[in-house]
Amino acid sequence: MRTEFDNEILEEYDSFVISEEFEKEQIRKNIREKLLNNKEELNSENYQILGLLDYESNDWKKYSNRIIENFTKSIEKDKTNFLAQLYLGHIYQDIGKLEKALEVYLKVDSKALKKFQLWRYVKLLEQIGYCTYKLGNESSGIVFFEKVLKWYKQTPKNEHLARPTELLNCLPDNHKIVKEIKLIEDYL
């Protein structure tokens, strides 16, 4: 159950997400200050928001250790927080720690994620494939990319999936999967 404090923070974070870039820094600072002043009582969602505040900044690399720490605390507070797990995997992938990213991605409750947002679930499959492929197990990575392709084929046109950047980064343009995805997603 969310407290009034949690609702206030969530409302401010929603405002942060949709605000213009010049407004973001002040909102980020305000949210961080409120959360850190209440550090003893922070819950999983609060730590997730702390991680996202830094992750969504232009200089996120500078804060990568703090981002990892906050997402990790979020998961410690609530092992079922699949979004914090997903974002923890993202930051590890972004800083090039693919083994760690893969380890975290494989722990994400994919059923809950799929129910929450299909596009995130399909992207998770792609990211698992990417990490697996880049870590040298190309055939297993391709198995995940085939699953991604299957979702592109069966997802209605009005329900958008994320751009398959990791898949396109791994496979050559003449690969069967790439060719099929480009037929489906003509913007590629």
Side-chain angles (χ1 to χ4, degrees), residues 119 121-130 141-155 161-168 177 181 184:
W119 73 267
Y121 168 75
V122 175
K123 192 65 176 175
L124 173 65
L125 293 176
E126 183 187 359
Q127 289 163 321
I128 291 170
Y130 174 84
I142 289 172
V143 168
F144 281 96
F145 294 151
E146 287 170 343
K147 291 178 184 181
V148 170
L149 174 61
K150 180 182 170 194
W151 279 104
Y152 272 86
K153 286 179 175 179
Q154 70 187 37
T155 302
L161 298 176
R163 185 180 174 103
T165 51
E166 286 96 343
L167 182 153
L168 295 172
I177 294 173
I181 281 190
I184 297 164

Side-chain angles (χ1 to χ4, degrees), residues 63-166:
Y63 302 117
S64 61
N65 288 335
R66 189 164 74 188
I67 295 167
I68 291 168
E69 181 182 319
N70 284 315
F71 289 144
T72 300
K73 285 180 182 176
S74 177
I75 296 164
E76 288 170 358
K77 293 273 186 180
D78 180 1
K79 302 264 187 256
T80 67
N81 187 335
F82 57 87
L83 286 177
Q85 289 175 329
L86 186 64
Y87 283 115
L88 181 60
H90 291 342
I91 187 66
Y92 278 128
Q93 180 178 334
D94 291 344
I95 62 173
K97 294 186 176 185
L98 298 184
E99 288 177 359
K100 196 70 177 150
L102 182 58
E103 177 186 323
V104 173
Y105 284 147
L106 291 172
K107 292 179 183 176
V108 173
D109 182 346
S110 59
K111 287 180 184 172
L113 183 62
K114 184 178 175 183
K115 188 176 179 181
F116 175 66
Q117 288 180 320
L118 179 63
W119 73 267
R120 286 185 191 267
Y121 168 75
V122 175
K123 192 65 176 175
L124 173 65
L125 293 176
E126 183 187 359
Q127 289 163 321
I128 291 170
Y130 174 84
C131 291
T132 304
Y133 190 96
K134 289 294 188 177
L135 288 168
N137 193 344
E138 293 178 4
S139 58
S140 290
I142 289 172
V143 168
F144 281 96
F145 294 151
E146 287 170 343
K147 291 178 184 181
V148 170
L149 174 61
K150 180 182 170 194
W151 279 104
Y152 272 86
K153 286 179 175 179
Q154 70 187 37
T155 302
K157 285 282 185 197
N158 65 342
E159 190 171 336
H160 298 284
L161 298 176
R163 185 180 174 103
T165 51
E166 286 96 343

